[in-house]
PDB file of all heavy atoms in Angstrom:
ATOM      1  N   SER A   1       3.622  19.386  -3.506  1.00 77.00           N
ATOM      2  CA  SER A   1       3.690  18.173  -4.327  1.00 77.00           C
ATOM      3  C   SER A   1       4.783  17.232  -3.839  1.00 77.00           C
ATOM      4  O   SER A   1       4.625  16.016  -3.890  1.00 77.00           O
ATOM      5  CB  SER A   1       3.938  18.528  -5.801  1.00 77.00           C
ATOM      6  OG  SER A   1       2.798  19.159  -6.353  1.00 77.00           O
ATOM      7  N   LYS A   2       5.906  17.789  -3.374  1.00 73.00           N
ATOM      8  CA  LYS A   2       6.996  16.930  -2.887  1.00 73.00           C
ATOM      9  C   LYS A   2       6.533  16.106  -1.686  1.00 73.00           C
ATOM     10  O   LYS A   2       6.812  14.911  -1.595  1.00 73.00           O
ATOM     11  CB  LYS A   2       8.215  17.778  -2.506  1.00 73.00           C
ATOM     12  CG  LYS A   2       9.006  18.290  -3.694  1.00 73.00           C
ATOM     13  CD  LYS A   2      10.230  19.062  -3.241  1.00 73.00           C
ATOM     14  CE  LYS A   2      11.075  19.512  -4.430  1.00 73.00           C
ATOM     15  NZ  LYS A   2      12.278  20.270  -4.008  1.00 73.00           N
ATOM     16  N   VAL A   3       5.826  16.758  -0.763  1.00 81.00           N
ATOM     17  CA  VAL A   3       5.321  16.046   0.414  1.00 81.00           C
ATOM     18  C   VAL A   3       4.102  15.206   0.029  1.00 81.00           C
ATOM     19  O   VAL A   3       3.958  14.063   0.471  1.00 81.00           O
ATOM     20  CB  VAL A   3       4.962  17.035   1.536  1.00 81.00           C
ATOM     21  CG1 VAL A   3       4.420  16.293   2.755  1.00 81.00           C
ATOM     22  CG2 VAL A   3       6.187  17.860   1.930  1.00 81.00           C
ATOM     23  N   GLY A   4       3.240  15.771  -0.809  1.00 85.00           N
ATOM     24  CA  GLY A   4       2.055  15.042  -1.247  1.00 85.00           C
ATOM     25  C   GLY A   4       2.403  13.796  -2.029  1.00 85.00           C
ATOM     26  O   GLY A   4       1.729  12.764  -1.926  1.00 85.00           O
ATOM     27  N   SER A   5       3.468  13.880  -2.801  1.00 81.00           N
ATOM     28  CA  SER A   5       3.937  12.725  -3.552  1.00 81.00           C
ATOM     29  C   SER A   5       4.303  11.588  -2.610  1.00 81.00           C
ATOM     30  O   SER A   5       4.023  10.413  -2.890  1.00 81.00           O
ATOM     31  CB  SER A   5       5.160  13.111  -4.395  1.00 81.00           C
ATOM     32  OG  SER A   5       5.725  11.986  -5.006  1.00 81.00           O
ATOM     33  N   ALA A   6       4.895  11.934  -1.465  1.00 82.00           N
ATOM     34  CA  ALA A   6       5.278  10.909  -0.495  1.00 82.00           C
ATOM     35  C   ALA A   6       4.056  10.154   0.005  1.00 82.00           C
ATOM     36  O   ALA A   6       4.083   8.933   0.162  1.00 82.00           O
ATOM     37  CB  ALA A   6       6.010  11.547   0.677  1.00 82.00           C
ATOM     38  N   GLY A   7       2.964  10.884   0.267  1.00 86.00           N
ATOM     39  CA  GLY A   7       1.742  10.232   0.714  1.00 86.00           C
ATOM     40  C   GLY A   7       1.213   9.256  -0.313  1.00 86.00           C
ATOM     41  O   GLY A   7       0.751   8.157   0.027  1.00 86.00           O
ATOM     42  N   LEU A   8       1.300   9.630  -1.584  1.00 87.00           N
ATOM     43  CA  LEU A   8       0.805   8.759  -2.657  1.00 87.00           C
ATOM     44  C   LEU A   8       1.724   7.558  -2.868  1.00 87.00           C
ATOM     45  O   LEU A   8       1.256   6.478  -3.258  1.00 87.00           O
ATOM     46  CB  LEU A   8       0.667   9.564  -3.955  1.00 87.00           C
ATOM     47  CG  LEU A   8      -0.487  10.572  -3.933  1.00 87.00           C
ATOM     48  CD1 LEU A   8      -0.302  11.621  -5.030  1.00 87.00           C
ATOM     49  CD2 LEU A   8      -1.827   9.870  -4.094  1.00 87.00           C
ATOM     50  N   ILE A   9       3.024   7.729  -2.631  1.00 83.00           N
ATOM     51  CA  ILE A   9       3.941   6.594  -2.725  1.00 83.00           C
ATOM     52  C   ILE A   9       3.785   5.693  -1.496  1.00 83.00           C
ATOM     53  O   ILE A   9       3.833   4.462  -1.613  1.00 83.00           O
ATOM     54  CB  ILE A   9       5.403   7.078  -2.856  1.00 83.00           C
ATOM     55  CG1 ILE A   9       5.572   7.901  -4.146  1.00 83.00           C
ATOM     56  CG2 ILE A   9       6.357   5.892  -2.873  1.00 83.00           C
ATOM     57  CD1 ILE A   9       5.155   7.189  -5.415  1.00 83.00           C
ATOM     58  N   MET A  10       3.566   6.286  -0.324  1.00 86.00           N
ATOM     59  CA  MET A  10       3.291   5.481   0.865  1.00 86.00           C
ATOM     60  C   MET A  10       2.038   4.630   0.667  1.00 86.00           C
ATOM     61  O   MET A  10       1.913   3.543   1.238  1.00 86.00           O
ATOM     62  CB  MET A  10       3.126   6.380   2.096  1.00 86.00           C
ATOM     63  CG  MET A  10       4.415   7.023   2.586  1.00 86.00           C
ATOM     64  SD  MET A  10       4.150   8.207   3.924  1.00 86.00           S
ATOM     65  CE  MET A  10       3.792   7.088   5.280  1.00 86.00           C
ATOM     66  N   ALA A  11       1.126   5.125  -0.150  1.00 89.00           N
ATOM     67  CA  ALA A  11      -0.116   4.393  -0.427  1.00 89.00           C
ATOM     68  C   ALA A  11       0.152   3.063  -1.123  1.00 89.00           C
ATOM     69  O   ALA A  11      -0.718   2.185  -1.147  1.00 89.00           O
ATOM     70  CB  ALA A  11      -1.056   5.256  -1.274  1.00 89.00           C
ATOM     71  N   ILE A  12       1.346   2.918  -1.671  1.00 84.00           N
ATOM     72  CA  ILE A  12       1.720   1.650  -2.305  1.00 84.00           C
ATOM     73  C   ILE A  12       1.720   0.520  -1.281  1.00 84.00           C
ATOM     74  O   ILE A  12       1.730  -0.656  -1.648  1.00 84.00           O
ATOM     75  CB  ILE A  12       3.083   1.808  -3.027  1.00 84.00           C
ATOM     76  CG1 ILE A  12       2.925   2.739  -4.232  1.00 84.00           C
ATOM     77  CG2 ILE A  12       3.646   0.476  -3.490  1.00 84.00           C
ATOM     78  CD1 ILE A  12       4.221   3.071  -4.955  1.00 84.00           C
ATOM     79  N   VAL A  13       1.660   0.882   0.012  1.00 86.00           N
ATOM     80  CA  VAL A  13       1.580  -0.136   1.063  1.00 86.00           C
ATOM     81  C   VAL A  13       0.358  -1.032   0.865  1.00 86.00           C
ATOM     82  O   VAL A  13       0.303  -2.150   1.382  1.00 86.00           O
ATOM     83  CB  VAL A  13       1.554   0.516   2.467  1.00 86.00           C
ATOM     84  CG1 VAL A  13       0.194   1.143   2.762  1.00 86.00           C
ATOM     85  CG2 VAL A  13       1.918  -0.499   3.541  1.00 86.00           C
ATOM     86  N   GLY A  14      -0.608  -0.560   0.096  1.00 89.00           N
ATOM     87  CA  GLY A  14      -1.756  -1.411  -0.246  1.00 89.00           C
ATOM     88  C   GLY A  14      -1.305  -2.690  -0.922  1.00 89.00           C
ATOM     89  O   GLY A  14      -1.942  -3.744  -0.778  1.00 89.00           O
ATOM     90  N   GLY A  15      -0.192  -2.610  -1.639  1.00 87.00           N
ATOM     91  CA  GLY A  15       0.367  -3.784  -2.300  1.00 87.00           C
ATOM     92  C   GLY A  15       1.017  -4.746  -1.338  1.00 87.00           C
ATOM     93  O   GLY A  15       1.327  -5.888  -1.702  1.00 87.00           O
ATOM     94  N   ALA A  16       1.259  -4.313  -0.098  1.00 84.00           N
ATOM     95  CA  ALA A  16       1.800  -5.203   0.929  1.00 84.00           C
ATOM     96  C   ALA A  16       0.686  -5.849   1.740  1.00 84.00           C
ATOM     97  O   ALA A  16       0.720  -7.043   2.020  1.00 84.00           O
ATOM     98  CB  ALA A  16       2.733  -4.419   1.863  1.00 84.00           C
ATOM     99  N   LEU A  17      -0.303  -5.049   2.106  1.00 87.00           N
ATOM    100  CA  LEU A  17      -1.343  -5.517   3.022  1.00 87.00           C
ATOM    101  C   LEU A  17      -2.404  -6.388   2.355  1.00 87.00           C
ATOM    102  O   LEU A  17      -2.774  -7.444   2.880  1.00 87.00           O
ATOM    103  CB  LEU A  17      -2.003  -4.304   3.693  1.00 87.00           C
ATOM    104  CG  LEU A  17      -1.079  -3.372   4.482  1.00 87.00           C
ATOM    105  CD1 LEU A  17      -1.862  -2.184   5.027  1.00 87.00           C
ATOM    106  CD2 LEU A  17      -0.393  -4.122   5.611  1.00 87.00           C
ATOM    107  N   MET A  18      -2.881  -5.951   1.209  1.00 92.00           N
ATOM    108  CA  MET A  18      -4.025  -6.653   0.608  1.00 92.00           C
ATOM    109  C   MET A  18      -3.663  -8.030   0.046  1.00 92.00           C
ATOM    110  O   MET A  18      -4.435  -8.983   0.199  1.00 92.00           O
ATOM    111  CB  MET A  18      -4.694  -5.761  -0.432  1.00 92.00           C
ATOM    112  CG  MET A  18      -5.204  -4.459   0.171  1.00 92.00           C
ATOM    113  SD  MET A  18      -6.277  -3.490  -0.891  1.00 92.00           S
ATOM    114  CE  MET A  18      -7.815  -4.382  -0.706  1.00 92.00           C
ATOM    115  N   PRO A  19      -2.495  -8.220  -0.592  1.00 89.00           N
ATOM    116  CA  PRO A  19      -2.126  -9.588  -1.007  1.00 89.00           C
ATOM    117  C   PRO A  19      -1.978 -10.538   0.176  1.00 89.00           C
ATOM    118  O   PRO A  19      -2.270 -11.725   0.060  1.00 89.00           O
ATOM    119  CB  PRO A  19      -0.791  -9.378  -1.734  1.00 89.00           C
ATOM    120  CG  PRO A  19      -0.843  -7.982  -2.220  1.00 89.00           C
ATOM    121  CD  PRO A  19      -1.556  -7.230  -1.128  1.00 89.00           C
ATOM    122  N   LYS A  20      -1.500 -10.002   1.312  1.00 88.00           N
ATOM    123  CA  LYS A  20      -1.391 -10.822   2.518  1.00 88.00           C
ATOM    124  C   LYS A  20      -2.776 -11.312   2.937  1.00 88.00           C
ATOM    125  O   LYS A  20      -2.966 -12.493   3.265  1.00 88.00           O
ATOM    126  CB  LYS A  20      -0.747 -10.004   3.628  1.00 88.00           C
ATOM    127  CG  LYS A  20      -0.543 -10.752   4.959  1.00 88.00           C
ATOM    128  CD  LYS A  20       0.570 -11.768   4.859  1.00 88.00           C
ATOM    129  CE  LYS A  20       0.899 -12.349   6.226  1.00 88.00           C
ATOM    130  NZ  LYS A  20       1.881 -13.451   6.138  1.00 88.00           N
ATOM    131  N   LEU A  21      -3.759 -10.422   2.901  1.00 92.00           N
ATOM    132  CA  LEU A  21      -5.135 -10.781   3.242  1.00 92.00           C
ATOM    133  C   LEU A  21      -5.701 -11.770   2.237  1.00 92.00           C
ATOM    134  O   LEU A  21      -6.387 -12.735   2.608  1.00 92.00           O
ATOM    135  CB  LEU A  21      -5.997  -9.513   3.298  1.00 92.00           C
ATOM    136  CG  LEU A  21      -7.469  -9.681   3.694  1.00 92.00           C
ATOM    137  CD1 LEU A  21      -7.590 -10.366   5.050  1.00 92.00           C
ATOM    138  CD2 LEU A  21      -8.163  -8.317   3.725  1.00 92.00           C
ATOM    139  N   GLN A  22      -5.386 -11.554   0.944  1.00 92.00           N
ATOM    140  CA  GLN A  22      -5.854 -12.491  -0.067  1.00 92.00           C
ATOM    141  C   GLN A  22      -5.231 -13.873   0.136  1.00 92.00           C
ATOM    142  O   GLN A  22      -5.907 -14.896  -0.026  1.00 92.00           O
ATOM    143  CB  GLN A  22      -5.530 -11.971  -1.474  1.00 92.00           C
ATOM    144  CG  GLN A  22      -6.173 -12.828  -2.580  1.00 92.00           C
ATOM    145  CD  GLN A  22      -5.941 -12.271  -3.967  1.00 92.00           C
ATOM    146  OE1 GLN A  22      -5.084 -11.405  -4.173  1.00 92.00           O
ATOM    147  NE2 GLN A  22      -6.675 -12.753  -4.944  1.00 92.00           N
ATOM    148  N   GLY A  23      -3.954 -13.906   0.494  1.00 89.00           N
ATOM    149  CA  GLY A  23      -3.292 -15.185   0.777  1.00 89.00           C
ATOM    150  C   GLY A  23      -3.963 -15.919   1.924  1.00 89.00           C
ATOM    151  O   GLY A  23      -4.099 -17.147   1.898  1.00 89.00           O
ATOM    152  N   MET A  24      -4.409 -15.178   2.922  1.00 91.00           N
ATOM    153  CA  MET A  24      -5.106 -15.778   4.059  1.00 91.00           C
ATOM    154  C   MET A  24      -6.442 -16.387   3.619  1.00 91.00           C
ATOM    155  O   MET A  24      -6.841 -17.451   4.103  1.00 91.00           O
ATOM    156  CB  MET A  24      -5.320 -14.741   5.159  1.00 91.00           C
ATOM    157  CG  MET A  24      -4.031 -14.275   5.822  1.00 91.00           C
ATOM    158  SD  MET A  24      -4.235 -12.828   6.899  1.00 91.00           S
ATOM    159  CE  MET A  24      -5.250 -13.544   8.203  1.00 91.00           C
ATOM    160  N   ILE A  25      -7.130 -15.714   2.694  1.00 92.00           N
ATOM    161  CA  ILE A  25      -8.388 -16.259   2.175  1.00 92.00           C
ATOM    162  C   ILE A  25      -8.120 -17.549   1.405  1.00 92.00           C
ATOM    163  O   ILE A  25      -8.833 -18.548   1.563  1.00 92.00           O
ATOM    164  CB  ILE A  25      -9.095 -15.224   1.268  1.00 92.00           C
ATOM    165  CG1 ILE A  25      -9.560 -14.014   2.088  1.00 92.00           C
ATOM    166  CG2 ILE A  25     -10.290 -15.862   0.553  1.00 92.00           C
ATOM    167  CD1 ILE A  25     -10.134 -12.885   1.260  1.00 92.00           C
TER     168      ILE A  25
END
């Protein structure tokens, strides 16, 4: 869970990438 939790927190990168793409649209 300690390592798995990191993967799920790293997934927050979706909040960096997708708004950038939306801004481009």
Side-chain angles (χ1 to χ4, degrees):
S1 291
K2 284 183 177 180
V3 179
S5 173
L8 289 162
I9 298 304
M10 289 174 73
I12 292 175
V13 75
L17 302 177
M18 300 191 79
K20 181 72 172 174
L21 182 57
Q22 188 176 15
M24 293 169 67
I25 293 174

